[in-house]
Amino acid sequence: MADAAKSGGRASVGRAGVGRPGVVWALPGALFFVFFAVAPMVLVGALAFTDWDGIGTPSWTGMSNWSRLWDDPETHQAIWLSLILTVLTWVFQTPLALLLGVWAAGRQRNRAVLSAIFFLPLLGSSVALALVWKSLLDPNFGLIADIGPALGFADGDLLGSSKGAFGAILFVTAWQFIPLHTLIYQGGARAIPRSLYDAAAIDGAGTVRQFFSITLPQLRNTIVTSSVIMVVGALTFFDTVLILTKGGPGTDTTIVPYLMYKNGFQAFDLGYASAVATILVVVATTVSLLLVRLTGFAAMRSTREGM
Amino acid sequence: MRIPRSRSTLRASTLAAAVLLVGTALAGCGSGGPGGSDDGSLDVWVYQDASTKVQREVVKRFNETSGIKVKLTQVPGEGYSDKMRTSMGTPNAPDVFFNWGGGSISDFVKKDMLLDLDPAMAKDAGLKKAFIPTILDAGAIDGKHYGIPMRGMQPVILFYNKDVFEDAGARPPKSWDDLLKLIDTFKGKGVAPFALAGTDAWTELMWVEYLVDRYGGAGVFQKVQSQSMAAWDDPAVLKAAQTVRDLVGRGAFGKNYKSVNYTADGASTLFAKGKAAMHLMGSWEYANQKANQPAFAKSGLGWTTFPAVPGGSGDPKSVVGNPTNYWSVNAKVKGDKQKAAIEFVKFAAKQDYSKDLIANGDVPTTSDATSLLAEHENPDYARFQYDMVKQAPDFTLSWDQALPAKYTPPLHTAVQKLFNGQLSPAGFVDVLKGM
């Protein structure tokens, strides 16, 4: 066993590649990647410079989709809304998920049961969950009709007001995704060696001090991972918006992915929708790369320094 | 590569085999779908719903008499438009297919993908006469007919709740003044005068369509459709938009119409439960109520026409909505198959077919259906609807169906913003002109 592991790893370099997997082995994966990821992306990039209604051949229009993008107030609003949604999502979800994750990493039995219940939203499909929330938020027949007034929506018309609808999306997505991130943080927190806490306790550090001096720094890489997932997820968020608000009232919850859907599959304006999609790809990639770079995650600096 | 040669060839050949396998599997997807029909049969696509059984019956009857058989593909409703659009122009396209006329096929017409049915109608004078002319024409593009009506008519009707009206001692509105007075009456009773599903912009669009028609006549939209978006600059459009704002301001739609839906039965339930007195909706509202609130559909549901507006020049007999659905024939179908396809679509003009439609609760669009209407489960409703459409000088196809698909989202957004107060009437006209 040890030998096999050795020959598959870096140790085999000196032995003229005996048992080293050839490039050919990467081919199936690479082919799939090219067919189903790279090629579509290149095609979308190309389509963004055409006018195409889904039938016949696309006609080349140069920069016209892009100049339209530049001038279209609906697009500006969508980009702005997407950015706000992303930032607020991170601001709300990260601290909550982090605290819950650290808490859930404890070992008492009641925690296990409680966290199992807490993780339930993870099991439902987004669409089904959004439908449930939609009926809860129905101003005439839903729960919101009764509790709306207490929240400041006298008619229970939460989804009919711009701020209310945006807030509802923020809340429903948080409710749905905080458990996922909690799970990630739970895993991260459980990997922190017990001995660190023991040493801190001997030095007289309390729970709060232990959290800020041990838990948080040790979770640095976990935070980056969770944040990248969260930010890219928020930028590409779609199904809840489709079901809960259809981008409304008016266009006040039309975030970029929904705008892309509207242009692509309702208007069949696939050229313009491709331009919107390209923006999304570029922004999401840039943001996640930046996150990784700025936090030093790429260098994989050890969180175990000094141990 | 540093792998010994013999092994590398072995691996390469395994891999090649795998690639081949995947390749054939993918190719199989391409040719295995419906269509391609090299077996000489006709591929017919229909939108799948409760009415599909009428089309299944006609296919059975047709196949008994014809050498070229019809193969019916029932496409699930949700994705019908997408599927039709992506298949046209590929070898998988259907030979004959269900559509909504107007904008749903105008792009195909532009690319010469559909068969002009006028020669067939010229050859068979009975075929053209078989249908109510306004309905046949509503599916025409640039004066040419590409569709044969094949389902029931769907005019937009002003429904009212008889019980709520009785409680308030009110009568259905005959004039615009009546309608405005009714708004105050019902508001006083704590009932929303009109149910409105504001989440779905097409429900709000029905109001704008009727108002524009009543203010300026059917010509206003015809001009937009045949000329350009600049034709929205008609005083009737601005007047209609101002009237919408006025109605909203008076509380005609209650307070929380913005988050009421139609598809999940929000507006219809409000209406049936007496929380709203009236509902402007397509004729399918009847079938919908019958399915969800049968008692109300039977005894509580009333119907009337949309009233005239003061100073309006449109004919109050005109109707908006969806005249019907149509069969269209793919231009690629030639020779004997083309003949068979035309024979097939002609079946929709036969009385057997109309009878099946009536048995299904639909009101046929054939011009001689009057005698059949008594067999409808609600003959009064069927007759009202049939006469309303037959006497209408114009039947305006819903704007979002009549215009090419690319105008639908901006139109819906503009209408919704007008109702929400996010756009002024003048701003609304500007947005439409700029589409």
Side-chain angles (χ1 to χ4, degrees):
Chain A
M1 274 318 280
D3 216 38
K6 221 176 157 193
S7 59
R10 253 184 294 183
S12 66
V13 170
R15 285 198 277 153
V18 176
R20 183 193 167 111
V23 182
V24 189
W25 289 103
L27 258 176
L31 275 180
F32 269 98
F33 185 66
V34 168
F35 273 127
F36 296 110
V38 177
M41 224 152 26
V42 171
L43 271 177
V44 163
L47 272 181
F49 295 92
T50 66
D51 180 25
W52 192 39
D53 58 10
I55 46 174
T57 23
S59 62
W60 201 257
T61 53
M63 295 303 287
S64 82
N65 285 325
W66 296 95
S67 57
R68 190 176 142 201
L69 205 69
W70 190 254
D71 296 329
D72 188 351
E74 200 176 333
T75 308
H76 298 171
Q77 188 193 23
I79 292 172
W80 179 234
L81 286 173
S82 266
L83 289 177
I84 300 182
L85 185 75
T86 306
V87 170
L88 288 183
T89 293
W90 192 87
V91 168
F92 281 135
Q93 294 189 14
T94 299
L96 274 172
L98 191 105
L99 287 173
L100 284 166
V102 171
W103 171 81
R107 290 167 212 286
Q108 294 92 328
R109 182 180 297 182
N110 64 333
R111 292 192 185 196
V113 173
L114 280 177
S115 34
I117 295 171
F118 177 70
F119 291 138
L120 277 180
L122 261 184
L123 302 175
S125 89
S126 293
V127 173
L129 295 176
L131 282 169
V132 169
W133 278 103
K134 171 113 179 142
S135 40
L136 285 173
L137 295 174
D138 186 295
N140 294 299
F141 308 108
L143 187 67
I144 192 75
D146 301 318
I147 63 165
L151 295 173
F153 293 90
D155 304 321
D157 199 7
L158 185 75
L159 295 179
S161 92
S162 303
K163 288 205 175 90
F166 194 81
I169 288 171
L170 207 58
F171 174 78
V172 171
T173 53
W175 175 83
Q176 189 186 350
F177 287 110
I178 285 180
L180 169 71
H181 296 282
T182 303
L183 205 59
I184 297 175
Y185 284 117
Q186 186 192 29
R190 283 215 169 132
I192 303 173
R194 202 66 238 154
S195 56
L196 287 178
Y197 293 101
D198 295 340
I202 291 168
D203 286 346
T207 327
V208 177
R209 182 64 199 264
Q210 285 181 13
F211 176 78
F212 282 105
S213 300
I214 303 173
T215 314
L216 259 192
Q218 290 285 321
L219 284 178
R220 192 178 64 218
N221 290 342
T222 316
I223 294 174
V224 178
T225 308
S226 157
S227 299
V228 171
I229 295 175
M230 208 182 275
V231 164
V232 173
L235 281 173
T236 54
F237 212 71
F238 174 71
D239 30 14
T240 305
V241 176
L242 175 73
I243 288 163
L244 222 48
T245 66
K246 289 189 185 161
T251 49
D252 290 346
T253 55
T254 302
I255 52 175
V256 178
Y258 191 77
L259 183 76
M260 180 178 94
Y261 165 77
K262 239 168 98 168
N263 284 304
F265 298 103
Q266 291 183 336
F268 290 104
D269 194 349
L270 291 155
Y272 190 57
S274 299
V276 176
T278 309
I279 295 247
L280 201 58
V281 170
V282 171
V283 171
T285 312
T286 315
V287 169
S288 58
L289 281 179
L290 273 180
L291 268 176
V292 169
R293 253 305 138 72
L294 294 180
T295 51
F297 184 68
M300 280 291 179
R301 269 197 291 136
S302 173
T303 46
R304 300 279 158 78
E305 278 157 50
M307 281 180 67
Chain B
M1 265 185 268
R2 280 185 278 175
I3 311 164
R5 187 149 188 94
S6 62
R7 277 168 107 198
S8 94
T9 34
L10 180 70
R11 280 171 191 171
S13 51
T14 322
L15 198 87
V19 168
L20 264 175
L21 269 176
V22 173
T24 23
L26 287 176
C29 294
S31 61
S37 71
D38 302 321
D39 54 351
S41 65
L42 274 175
D43 274 306
V44 175
W45 282 15
V46 67
Y47 181 97
Q48 185 179 38
D49 61 12
S51 300
T52 311
K53 65 174 183 218
V54 178
Q55 282 83 49
R56 281 200 300 264
E57 282 301 310
V58 75
V59 166
K60 224 189 274 166
R61 280 203 299 273
F62 178 81
N63 284 349
E64 279 165 15
T65 60
S66 166
I68 295 178
K69 307 290 181 205
V70 160
K71 220 165 62 192
L72 188 72
T73 303
Q74 301 174 51
V75 181
E78 194 70 23
Y80 188 86
S81 315
D82 303 4
K83 186 157 189 207
M84 179 175 80
R85 224 182 154 85
T86 42
S87 77
M88 285 303 279
T90 73
N92 289 337
D95 298 323
V96 176
F97 66 98
F98 165 108
N99 61 70
W100 290 266
S104 72
I105 55 166
S106 63
D107 288 335
F108 303 152
V109 170
K110 235 183 272 162
K111 298 195 163 89
D112 294 321
M113 290 173 160
L114 301 185
L115 184 69
D116 179 3
L117 295 169
D118 281 325
M121 288 186 199
K123 250 191 247 166
D124 181 355
L127 180 60
K128 196 166 183 180
K129 266 191 242 150
F131 300 99
I132 299 174
T134 47
I135 291 194
L136 200 59
D137 292 343
I141 290 167
D142 296 333
K144 281 188 182 166
H145 297 91
Y146 295 93
I148 297 291
M150 48 75 71
R151 274 202 171 178
M153 49 175 68
Q154 296 158 357
V156 173
I157 294 171
L158 184 56
F159 291 96
Y160 64 94
N161 185 321
K162 283 186 194 162
D163 302 330
V164 175
F165 268 67
E166 206 171 298
D167 282 349
R171 304 181 57 79
K174 287 209 157 51
S175 67
W176 193 252
D177 246 14
D178 290 351
L179 190 140
L180 295 183
K181 270 182 207 138
L182 283 174
I183 292 176
D184 295 335
T185 309
F186 290 121
K187 253 173 62 189
K189 295 235 159 215
V191 171
F194 291 96
L196 179 68
T199 326
D200 303 301
W202 54 266
T203 58
E204 299 173 327
L205 183 63
M206 291 174 170
W207 280 92
V208 184
E209 287 163 359
Y210 255 132
L211 285 169
V212 167
D213 189 88
R214 292 294 184 262
Y215 276 118
V220 178
F221 181 67
Q222 280 163 10
K223 236 160 98 188
V224 171
Q225 208 183 354
S226 63
Q227 292 170 15
S228 72
M229 293 295 129
W232 287 116
D233 201 9
D234 188 289
V237 181
L238 182 66
K239 203 87 194 14
Q242 283 162 345
T243 309
V244 165
R245 290 307 311 155
D246 176 49
L247 286 172
V248 171
R250 281 169 190 265
F253 307 108
K255 280 181 189 137
N256 45 28
Y257 65 90
K258 281 185 233 167
S259 38
V260 174
N261 57 60
Y262 187 80
T263 38
D265 221 36
S268 300
T269 311
L270 279 180
F271 176 49
K273 294 217 153 128
K275 287 191 175 183
M278 294 174 270
H279 193 192
L280 186 69
M281 190 37 67
S283 63
W284 58 83
E285 173 76 354
Y286 172 78
N288 193 23
Q289 293 289 7
K290 206 184 92 173
N292 296 318
Q293 331 267 351
F296 172 69
K298 204 161 182 202
S299 59
L301 186 66
W303 48 82
T304 185
T305 50
F306 195 87
V309 293
S313 62
D315 190 325
K317 283 208 186 78
S318 283
V319 175
V320 310
N322 302 332
T324 185
N325 299 109
Y326 303 86
W327 285 131
S328 289
V329 181
N330 194 326
K332 277 196 186 131
V333 181
K334 305 271 188 220
D336 283 347
K337 271 181 86 174
Q338 193 186 75
K339 268 186 214 148
I342 290 173
E343 279 313 310
F344 175 72
V345 298
K346 277 188 188 171
F347 266 57
K350 299 195 176 188
Q351 202 160 43
D352 290 353
Y353 190 80
S354 303
K355 277 186 184 158
D356 284 351
L357 281 175
I358 287 193
N360 192 51
D362 293 322
V363 176
T365 57
T366 40
S367 43
D368 62 348
T370 325
S371 57
L372 300 173
L373 295 174
E375 289 163 39
H376 195 273
E377 56 188 3
N378 190 335
D380 288 345
Y381 178 63
R383 248 178 242 127
F384 165 79
Q385 211 187 118
Y386 187 78
D387 290 343
M388 176 182 178
V389 171
K390 196 162 185 195
Q391 288 161 14
D394 284 292
F395 196 143
T396 301
L397 174 59
S398 302
W399 294 353
D400 49 357
Q401 307 271 15
L403 295 172
K406 71 168 171 171
Y407 295 114
T408 305
L411 179 66
H412 279 175
T413 305
V415 169
Q416 201 176 43
K417 283 188 166 176
L418 174 71
F419 271 79
N420 291 355
Q422 293 165 310
L423 262 184
S424 68
F428 174 71
V429 174
D430 284 342
V431 170
L432 294 195
K433 272 171 24 192
M435 285 199 304

